[in-house]
Amino acid sequence: MADVEPLVPPPSKEYLQHKRKAEAAAGRAPVATEPLQKKQAAVAPTKLTPTTWATIAGERSCCRAFSSTNVFCTLRTPLLLFITLFTFWLPLVVVIPPAALLLPIGTFLLLCFGTMRKLRGDPYWGVVLWVQRLHILTQYVQFGAGRVQSREAYKLSEVAPRRTLSKQPLPLGWGLMVADYQEEEMDAAVILGSIFGSARVSAALVPVPRLLELLRVMTYYLPWREKLTSFERGEDPVKYVMQEVGSIYPSIAQVWLDKTSDAALTHFARSGLGAHRVELAPDTNPFGAKYMVRTNALAALEVRPGYGTYGGDAYFDTDWRPVAIVRAERRHPARAPAEGIACAADGAHGACGADGVNGACGADDTGGEDNADPYGGCDWWRSLADVTYRPGDGYLWEQAKFGFRSSLFVLVTFVDHLFMLHMQTSELVTVAARERLSAGHPIRRFLLPFTYGAITINAWARTALCDYRTTTHRAFAFTDRSYARAWAVAPTLAPASGAGSLFAYPQRTGAGGDTGGEGDLFDEFLKRQSGPIYGSPGVDTPFLRAAAKYHSHVSAWVGAYVKHYYPTGVDVTQEAELQAFIEQVVLTSSASTLNDAGASLEAALAAASGDPLRSRAMLIAFLTRFVELVTLGHEQVGSVQVYAQDASFAAFRWKAGDLCGTKEAAMHGAILMCLTSSIAPTLMPDPTSTFEQHDWAYLYPASSTAEADQLQEINRRFQEGLGELAREMDLYSQKAPSRPFPDNTGVWTANPRYMETSVSI
C-alpha cells in the first residue's frame, strides 16, 4: 500500500497570537508552531507538535439559530411553529389523510437539505440538527429569553400526585425502564408546555420521541453511507463546524490555548475530561509512573472499516509528565514482531510499536485470506497485546495521544454520562420519587429542582441515543456487534474506584465474604457513601480538591434540610413512603441485582432500618450524592463543548493513521453537542438575577411564615457558600498562567457557576 502522509492542518493565526501572548507573559521568546511531520530520524522532536486550533464560542440566540434563513426570524412564532406542530403532529395521521401532512413535512425536509450543505446526503443528522434548532426556538417563545428562572421552571401547581408511571424498556440497557415522555410533570420542561398550559397536552401534541423513533426506523432501512473525508491541510476543523452549528452551540467556559502537546495531555487527564478517572498506577508498572488514566477497556470493541481503534492507558510520573501510553491492540498472526515486518510510518498498516515493528491489525488487514472480516480489518475475537508508545516516538506518539484523548471522549460520553448518570442515576431516582413519594412529601419537594426535565431528556435519550442506528451509534465507530457489546459491558467500564456511582458499594472483607457484623458493614457503607462523588486513594489534584469543597457545601445544606424535618432521626416504621423510595432505587439499579455488591448494599441498608439516627445519616448521604452527581457530575462528564468542536483535539471516530477526526465525525460530534444546548435552570443565580428570584425554598412544605423563613435561610447559606466557592474557582482559573506546571491550567467543571440543577439538557 502506498505510503500516504496523513493530512494535519497548520496552526491558526488565532492560536499563534494566543501563544505569543502567553509566552510573552511568561518571559519567554515566542516559538513558531510548525505542522506535524512524519516520523523521520532527521526531524527534531520540537517540530512534531500538532496544531492547536483556536476555540470559537457558541452564540445561542433565536435569529442566529436560523442564520441560513434569516427571513424566518421576523416570523419566528407563526410560521416556524406552524411547521413544527405539523411536523410533530404524527398521531393525527390516523384521522387526517397522510397527503395533508406532505406539505409541512416536505417543507421541513427542504429546509433540512437546502440550508445545510455540509450534511447533504445524510438525512438523519440533518433532521436531528433542525429538530434542535426548532427546540431552541420554542424555548425562546416559552421563556422570552435565553434563561429560565426557578419560579418559571418549578411550579407547585404542577407537582404530580404519586402514581405508577408508564415506562418503556431501554432497548439495549440491562432491562432498565425509562418513563414515557408524557409523564413529565413540569410544563416548562416540555416543548411549548408553558404555552399549552399542560405538559401532558404538549407531549401529546408535540410527541418528539415518536418523531425520533419514526426517523430512526426510516433511516435504519436507508443506506448508511460511510464517508471518511479528511480535512485539507490548513483547514480549520473548529471553524468548519461552527459555521454550521455555532448559533445553537452551547457556551464554552474552558480555555485551552494548547490542546495537543505533552503538557496539554497532562491537563486533559488531570484537570480536564479525565480528572474524575485518575488513579494510582500499579507499583509494578515498568515506567516508574505514579498516575494513570485507563481507556483500554474499549480496545476489545471492534470498529467499522477504515477507522482507528479505541484504547490506551496513559501513564504519568510523579511530576505529572506523560511517560507512556500502552494500547491494547489485536495482533495479526501473520504480523508477529518476530518476523520483522517493516512498519509504515503513516500508520496505514496499523499502529506501530516503538521499535518500528508492525505487529498489530490495521484497517487494511482482512484477518487472513480465508477469513475476511468486514468489521474493522481483524477478527474481533483475536486476543489483545499491549503496545507501548513513549515520548520521542515522533508521529506514533502523537497518534497514541490523539487516540487516547478520543477514546476517553467516547468512554466518558457513553459510560459515565449516558449510561451511569442519565440512566443509572437520574432516571432511577426521578421515577422512584414520582412513584413512591406523595406530592407534599418534604423529600419529594426537595428533589424537584434536581429531577426537573429528567423524564423529558431521558425519554429523548432512550429513543435518540440508546438503540441501533441512533446518534451515538452513528457518531461512534462501533459496529452493530460491538455497539451491543458496549451496552452489555457498560457497568464494567465504570471507574474502578466507584467514582460517579450513585451508591458507594460496601466491600465484604471477612472470611467467606462476610464482615464483622451488620454494624461494621453499615459503618463502612456510610463512610464511603458520605464522601465526595469523585476521588481515588492516593490521588490529590486541583479538580478533586475543588470537588471535595463543593461536597462540603452540598452535604451541609442537605444535612440542614433533612434535620429540619427529621430532628430526632428517620423512623422507617413511620416513613413507609421514604423506605419504599430508597428500596426502589436500590432494587432497580442493575448493579444492585446482578452482582454481590448489590447484596452488600441491601444488607447495609437493612442494618440502618432499626436506628432512626443511622437511617437519617443514610438519607443525608444518599441525597447529597445524588445532588452532586446531577450538578457537579453532569458538568464534569457533559460539559465537553470545547472537545466536541475540535476534531483535532478529540473525535468520536477518526480515519486510521490520522491525527484528526473526519469531516463527517466533526459535524456529527458537534451536532450531538448541540443537543445539550437547551435552556435549563442553573444552580446559582446568573449575574442579572437576585437570590430571591432564583431561590426555590417556596417548594418546601412549611406550616407557618416563620418556618418558611427558616427554610429560605438554609437555602441562602447554601447559595452564599456556592458564591464563595465560585469566586475562588474563578480566581484559580484566571491565575493559571502564572503558576508552574502542572498547575498552570484552570479547573472549570468544579465551579458551581457553570452548573445546572439537573440533567435536563
Side-chain angles (χ1 to χ4, degrees), residues 512-564:
D514 294 327
T515 62
E518 285 188 348
D520 294 338
L521 184 65
F522 176 80
D523 291 339
E524 180 191 352
F525 163 69
L526 186 61
K527 180 180 178 181
R528 293 165 61 88
Q529 186 77 7
S530 300
I533 58 171
Y534 293 134
S536 183
V539 178
D540 179 29
T541 66
F543 169 80
L544 294 179
R545 290 195 293 271
K549 292 179 180 179
Y550 178 71
H551 166 76
S552 66
H553 289 293
V554 176
S555 179
W557 173 58
V558 174
Y561 181 88
V562 172
K563 290 175 182 178
H564 176 86

Side-chain angles (χ1 to χ4, degrees), residues 688-747:
T688 64
S689 61
T690 64
F691 166 76
E692 286 72 21
Q693 290 175 308
H694 184 77
D695 181 45
W696 57 78
Y698 63 89
L699 297 173
Y700 305 152
S703 58
S704 65
T705 303
E707 184 180 13
D709 291 341
Q710 292 176 1
L711 292 166
Q712 187 179 55
E713 184 60 27
I714 291 175
N715 269 19
R716 187 184 298 275
R717 289 197 300 269
F718 175 56
Q719 288 292 335
E720 289 174 350
L722 293 183
E724 293 176 3
L725 179 58
R727 289 188 290 274
E728 178 185 341
M729 298 307 300
D730 290 340
L731 187 62
Y732 181 86
S733 297
Q734 291 169 7
K735 292 187 174 181
S738 64
R739 294 191 297 268
F741 179 87
D743 293 325
N744 56 334
T745 189
V747 175

Side-chain angles (χ1 to χ4, degrees), residues 590-627:
S590 64
S592 70
T593 56
L594 296 180
N595 57 38
D596 184 63
S600 299
L601 175 59
E602 292 182 51
L605 296 178
S609 62
D611 187 328
L613 293 180
R614 277 188 169 186
S615 297
R616 187 179 68 181
M618 181 271 294
L619 177 62
I620 292 173
F622 169 76
L623 293 177
T624 298
R625 197 168 184 88
F626 175 71
V627 171

Side-chain angles (χ1 to χ4, degrees), residues 23-294:
E23 290 171 341
R28 300 194 302 270
V31 178
T33 303
E34 300 192 16
L36 182 68
Q37 305 293 330
K38 290 171 53 177
K39 182 180 179 181
Q40 298 175 0
V43 177
T46 56
K47 293 188 178 182
L48 291 169
T49 304
T51 299
T52 290
W53 296 101
T55 299
I56 298 178
E59 180 185 352
R60 185 179 60 190
S61 65
C62 168
C63 290
R64 289 283 298 165
F66 294 89
S67 56
S68 300
T69 53
N70 282 327
V71 64
F72 290 109
C73 286
T74 59
L75 305 171
R76 75 180 196 183
T77 302
L79 184 55
L80 286 173
L81 292 186
F82 175 81
I83 296 174
T84 305
L85 291 176
F86 272 86
T87 301
F88 290 131
W89 238 333
L90 298 180
L92 292 183
V93 75
V94 178
V95 295
I96 296 179
L101 297 176
L102 291 180
L103 179 59
I105 293 178
T107 303
F108 183 72
L109 294 177
L110 180 62
L111 291 174
C112 290
F113 293 108
T115 61
M116 292 183 293
R117 58 182 178 81
K118 296 174 182 176
L119 289 174
R120 288 178 182 171
D122 194 342
Y124 184 90
W125 289 101
V127 173
V128 167
L129 181 55
W130 262 88
V131 166
Q132 181 61 4
R133 287 178 186 269
L134 293 171
H135 181 212
I136 293 294
L137 173 66
T138 59
Q139 287 197 306
Y140 271 88
V141 173
Q142 281 184 259
F143 307 131
R147 65 187 65 87
V148 54
Q149 300 291 354
S150 297
R151 292 184 181 273
E152 294 179 283
Y154 325 128
K155 297 182 179 180
L156 281 176
S157 60
E158 297 169 1
V159 179
R162 179 185 61 187
R163 63 177 176 82
T164 301
L165 306 181
S166 60
K167 298 181 285 291
Q168 300 294 328
L170 196 65
L172 298 171
W174 288 76
L176 292 172
M177 302 296 289
V178 180
D180 287 338
Y181 177 62
Q182 65 267 22
E183 296 290 1
E184 178 61 58
E185 62 181 341
M186 294 297 168
D187 294 349
V190 178
I191 290 182
L192 298 180
S194 300
I195 293 178
F196 286 115
S198 168
R200 293 185 67 84
V201 171
S202 177
L205 295 176
V206 192
V208 178
R210 187 169 298 185
L211 171 69
L212 295 175
E213 177 66 16
L214 178 63
L215 174 64
R216 186 192 69 81
V217 171
M218 290 190 302
T219 55
Y220 188 90
Y221 295 101
L222 292 176
W224 185 349
R225 298 202 304 171
E226 193 80 68
K227 294 183 179 179
L228 289 81
T229 309
S230 297
F231 283 92
E232 299 292 337
R233 188 175 297 279
E235 192 172 10
D236 186 342
V238 178
K239 186 176 296 185
Y240 178 83
V241 299
M242 293 301 284
Q243 286 175 342
E244 193 69 61
V245 303
S247 59
I248 60 169
Y249 202 78
S251 60
I252 298 176
Q254 302 183 38
V255 178
W256 288 83
L257 299 182
D258 174 20
K259 302 176 183 177
T260 57
S261 68
D262 287 5
L265 183 68
T266 295
H267 298 326
F268 181 80
R270 184 174 183 260
S271 301
L273 190 58
H276 64 292
R277 279 183 167 263
V278 177
E279 58 184 279
L280 290 180
D283 295 335
T284 56
N285 79 85
F287 317 112
K290 184 175 182 180
Y291 308 103
M292 68 180 301
V293 177
R294 304 174 187 265

